[in-house]
Amino acid sequence: MNPAVPAPDSTTVPATSRPATSRPATSRPGAGRRPASPGGPPPPVGRRRGIAGRVPARLRRVALPYLLILPAVLLELLVHLVPMLIGIGMSFLKLTQFFLRNWSAAPFAGLDNYSVAVDFDGAVGRSLLHSFLVTVAFTVLTVGLSWLFGICGAVLMQGSFRGRAVLRALFLVPYALPVYAGVITWSFLLQRDSGLVNHVLVDQLHLFGERPFWLIGSNSFVSIIVVCVWRSWPFAFLVLMAGLQNIPADLYEAAAIDGAGWGRRLRAVTLPMLRPINQVLVLVLFLWTFNDFNTPYVLFGKSAPHEADLISIHIYQSSFVTWNFGSGSAMSVLLLLFLLLVTAVYLVATSRRRSDA
Amino acid sequence: MRDPRWLPWARWAGLGLLGLFTLTPLYVMLTSAIKPLQDVQGDFHWIPTTITLRPFADMWRTVPLARYFANSLIVASVAALVSVVIAIFAAYAISRFRFPGRRIFSVTVLSTQMFPGILFLLPLFMIYVNLGTALGVELYASRTGLIITYLTFSLPFSIWMLAGYFDSIPTALDEAAQVDGSGPIGALLRVVLPAATPGIVAVAIYAFMTAWGEVLFASVMTDESSRTLAVGLQGYATENDVYWNQIMAASLVVSVPVVAGFLLLQRYLVQGLTAGAVK
């Protein structure tokens, strides 16, 4: 992610001309312990290191970056990569609750878990497809609205006016709030009888004759989008504001001298200049939203309503309610493949447009 | 360059609507936390009629909130601390060295961000359970397991952000330190780290927030003794009663530390974000 950084190879070169005392203790196999010629006075420092210190210094230079990334690599292996490989392996096993403690004994299932998951005539496949489509619609709407709110907020925040700093800080609170605290508050707001939403819509605005349910039934789809947008638009706002700050002011001045009005400056300067930031922002929002487990889990509890049956919750349920980990893993792998595909297509498409421009 | 005359009005209207949307839940959280129980069970009222601080006292008794709080604090602090140290080393390697495998490492680490948590939840659950039985190491349902898991969640972003931050520190600075007799590690400790303090603080806050707010793994990988706030707060909803006022009071109390930290240091977070993202 950091291309085009000048390679600072030179930073490591002076290693051979440094006094031995300040060298890191790691990765110098025995070099410093070598006895200087016994009896006589020790040879000049630079000279001794020129002969004995060269190979270890070179080795150290090669090994050092690997030592530096080693802890990160080990942890990523333990928590992400190995489990992912095991997960892929599990998806080919008939891994039901009988084999949980001794899962090497689980019989091989071939592609059974997959064929069940994508058999859209069967119950499992049909509900997975439903959940997938719900998630796609949910993600598109949530990301779109979050971005829209974010850009509106960021553009309107430009310039200086009274209360700007306070407002900016307040806007960021939903993002800073722990997920469960914010979402649990929303579930209180959305209660049918004691919630604020029905109080406003029914008692004050008289928009509905009867109090609607927001956490079950078809309205739950609207609820989850509202809550997710509430949580994620401040992130878009934060990133876009940072992006706006990086647009040089003389671009706006040049456009203004050319007679461009406010709207034209927005279209001709602001939005094109934000494109690199937008490329990353939309992708990150997409992945977070699509994979979001925390919001629906806290909002609806373990059983999500059919209309808001997001994919993470769906897989979680089909794994931990039925304890069929093989089938749950197969669904997770399918989800990962889908995300990889979308990300790859997205990156290719947006990068090409960028280099055309 | 003149702003159009309608802009202040549009600003007032647009920011007002966004503010209403953003702040209403926070207002409800604040006001419901000081209402007696019967006032949060009946019809909603914008203005509290009776004000009480009882929920803030009762919330510690309804569920063992203090224990959840301590668990969350230990897990999030240790995870943040370890994650920052590991991220500093890795980011320094990426920023200052060119070595075979560097690109693969950065791409792999970043791409773990896109894995659905659910994909490695099941295997990790089984690894922890089986490691526990095989080695006698308690990883499942322990704070250690949760710490190890959480610190990897913040690692990719932390490494990426710090590498961007380190890139913006001129290499001439560490070269000078090396000429003065420091090794690469000495240059990192004496020159790069002090110059990158804002970025490091931002990353630490990010890591803490990530661990403090995580729900999925906490719901599966904890038991009653290691339960964190993320799961514990759901204990206020019992069969008979939902103590909404205590839930709001508890939500308020568990949010204050992270929100305060975030707001104090959001400027650094923005700096770090742009340092990493613009490239």
Side-chain angles (χ1 to χ4, degrees):
Chain A
M1 269 321 218
N2 299 298
V5 183
D9 274 341
S10 52
T11 52
T12 52
V13 168
T16 41
S17 59
R18 275 183 280 113
T21 44
S22 71
R23 298 149 95 200
T26 46
S27 77
R28 36 184 307 229
R33 300 251 165 75
R34 185 162 304 184
S37 45
V45 171
R47 181 150 186 169
R48 191 189 71 191
R49 300 212 47 247
I51 300 159
R54 178 156 293 168
V55 171
R58 205 184 133 64
L59 188 70
R60 191 176 65 232
R61 201 160 65 218
V62 174
L64 185 60
Y66 294 102
L67 282 174
L68 286 171
I69 64 170
L70 187 66
V73 169
L74 286 180
L75 276 167
E76 289 295 331
L77 279 175
L78 172 72
V79 179
H80 284 119
L81 298 174
V82 170
M84 193 181 76
L85 293 177
I86 292 180
I88 294 172
M90 278 162 63
S91 68
F92 296 106
L93 296 178
K94 192 174 159 51
L95 196 57
T96 50
Q97 52 182 325
F98 306 110
F99 304 106
L100 272 193
R101 284 272 160 187
N102 183 16
W103 43 299
S104 50
F108 186 67
L111 288 171
D112 284 1
N113 289 323
Y114 289 93
S115 53
V116 169
V118 296
D119 172 20
F120 300 134
D121 294 326
V124 174
R126 203 166 48 235
S127 63
L128 182 67
L129 181 66
H130 167 82
S131 163
F132 173 76
L133 294 176
V134 166
T135 312
V136 169
F138 156 79
T139 306
V140 169
L141 288 168
T142 303
V143 173
L145 287 172
S146 299
W147 184 84
L148 190 68
F149 286 18
I151 189 79
C152 287
V155 167
L156 293 176
M157 273 287 191
Q158 270 182 310
S160 56
F161 55 92
R162 268 169 61 129
R164 182 175 181 274
V166 176
L167 204 58
R168 176 188 139 122
L170 284 176
F171 279 178
L172 294 177
V173 170
Y175 176 65
L177 222 53
V179 187
Y180 45 87
V183 177
I184 234 170
T185 306
W186 270 102
S187 77
F188 177 49
L189 262 67
L190 293 166
Q191 291 294 308
R192 178 174 180 264
D193 296 319
S194 57
L196 168 138
V197 171
N198 273 349
H199 177 67
V200 171
L201 294 180
V202 181
D203 301 344
Q204 297 189 316
L205 299 175
H206 306 288
L207 292 179
F208 297 90
E210 201 169 315
R211 288 175 169 268
F213 286 97
W214 291 104
L215 296 176
I216 50 174
S218 53
N219 289 334
S220 56
F221 183 69
V222 179
S223 304
I224 185 83
I225 290 178
V226 170
V227 177
C228 272
V229 170
W230 181 79
R231 268 192 46 70
S232 55
W233 88 265
F235 178 74
F237 169 72
L238 183 73
V239 172
L240 288 170
M241 274 221 306
L244 286 180
Q245 277 166 14
N246 284 351
I247 300 178
D250 39 337
L251 278 182
Y252 287 110
E253 277 153 28
I257 290 168
D258 289 348
W262 188 85
R264 176 114 182 109
R265 288 202 296 271
L266 182 67
R267 263 175 297 134
V269 179
T270 311
L271 292 179
M273 287 299 286
L274 285 178
R275 188 170 275 170
I277 288 254
N278 275 331
Q279 187 197 15
V280 179
L281 173 65
V282 169
L283 182 64
V284 167
L285 279 178
F286 165 78
L287 291 172
W288 282 353
T289 311
F290 206 96
N291 290 329
D292 191 10
F293 174 88
N294 299 338
T295 312
Y297 181 80
V298 178
L299 194 61
F300 301 125
K302 277 188 177 139
S303 56
H306 182 68
E307 290 81 359
D309 188 22
L310 299 184
I311 196 96
S312 291
I313 290 278
H314 186 85
I315 297 176
Y316 178 89
Q317 273 193 299
S318 34
S319 306
F320 282 98
V321 173
T322 64
W323 294 96
N324 188 342
F325 279 17
S327 150
S329 300
M331 294 180 192
S332 307
V333 172
L334 290 174
L335 172 62
L336 178 69
L337 289 177
F338 170 75
L339 294 175
L340 282 174
L341 185 74
V342 172
T343 307
V345 168
Y346 175 84
L347 286 178
V348 168
T350 52
S351 305
R352 179 174 304 152
R353 211 174 39 191
R354 212 159 132 191
S355 55
D356 284 351
Chain B
M1 189 165 63
R2 242 170 1 103
D3 283 335
R5 207 164 323 147
W6 50 264
L7 191 67
W9 296 100
R11 174 179 286 156
W12 188 85
L15 295 183
L17 285 174
L18 284 172
L20 200 65
F21 176 53
T22 304
L23 299 182
T24 304
L26 304 177
Y27 171 82
V28 171
M29 187 196 276
L30 280 171
T31 51
S32 304
I34 51 172
K35 286 179 182 175
L37 187 60
Q38 67 267 22
D39 285 9
V40 289
Q41 284 173 331
D43 282 346
F44 181 83
H45 294 286
W46 282 95
I47 315 282
T49 42
T50 319
I51 289 178
T52 169
L53 289 177
R54 280 285 299 282
F56 287 94
D58 294 341
M59 66 183 188
W60 304 96
R61 285 193 293 270
T62 311
V63 302
L65 188 66
R67 185 166 74 223
Y68 301 153
F69 209 97
N71 280 334
S72 278
L73 201 61
I74 293 170
V75 168
S77 318
V78 177
L81 196 73
V82 179
S83 148
V84 165
V85 172
I86 295 175
I88 286 173
F89 286 134
Y92 187 63
I94 290 183
S95 167
R96 291 297 195 261
F97 295 87
R98 293 297 169 272
F99 54 97
R102 170 180 172 274
R103 215 177 144 67
I104 292 185
F105 172 72
S106 343
V107 171
T108 313
V109 165
L110 259 189
S111 62
T112 59
Q113 278 289 64
M114 68 183 284
F115 293 173
I118 196 83
L119 170 67
F120 53 93
L121 172 72
L122 306 179
L124 201 61
F125 171 74
M126 311 237 335
I127 289 176
Y128 283 0
V129 167
N130 283 284
L131 266 186
T133 8
L135 305 172
V137 187
E138 213 45 73
L139 286 176
Y140 168 65
S142 78
R143 289 190 293 243
T144 318
L146 218 52
I147 288 171
I148 295 175
T149 314
Y150 285 170
L151 72 91
T152 62
F153 286 3
S154 44
L155 259 189
F157 180 75
S158 306
I159 294 175
W160 180 55
M161 196 165 129
L162 281 182
Y165 219 97
F166 291 169
D167 282 346
S168 68
I169 299 167
T171 53
L173 282 181
D174 13 336
E175 274 161 38
Q178 301 207 6
V179 169
D180 288 350
S182 304
I185 300 292
L188 168 65
L189 295 180
R190 256 169 265 159
V191 179
V192 179
L193 285 193
T197 308
I200 291 166
V201 172
V203 161
I205 291 175
Y206 171 79
F208 186 88
M209 281 171 60
T210 308
W212 190 260
E214 206 280 336
V215 178
L216 171 61
F217 285 75
S219 75
V220 175
M221 301 241 188
T222 58
D223 60 9
E224 188 50 38
S225 69
S226 58
R227 187 146 298 161
T228 56
L229 290 168
V231 188
L233 278 198
Q234 285 159 22
Y236 289 103
T238 61
E239 290 283 314
N240 310 316
D241 266 323
V242 183
Y243 298 97
W244 282 116
N245 52 349
Q246 293 182 39
I247 296 180
M248 294 300 119
S251 301
L252 200 63
V253 169
V254 307
S255 304
V256 165
V258 275
V259 172
F262 178 81
L263 290 184
L264 279 177
L265 294 148
Q266 39 125 344
R267 202 169 293 274
Y268 297 136
L269 204 62
V270 175
Q271 273 176 19
L273 269 176
T274 39
V278 166
K279 268 182 236 87

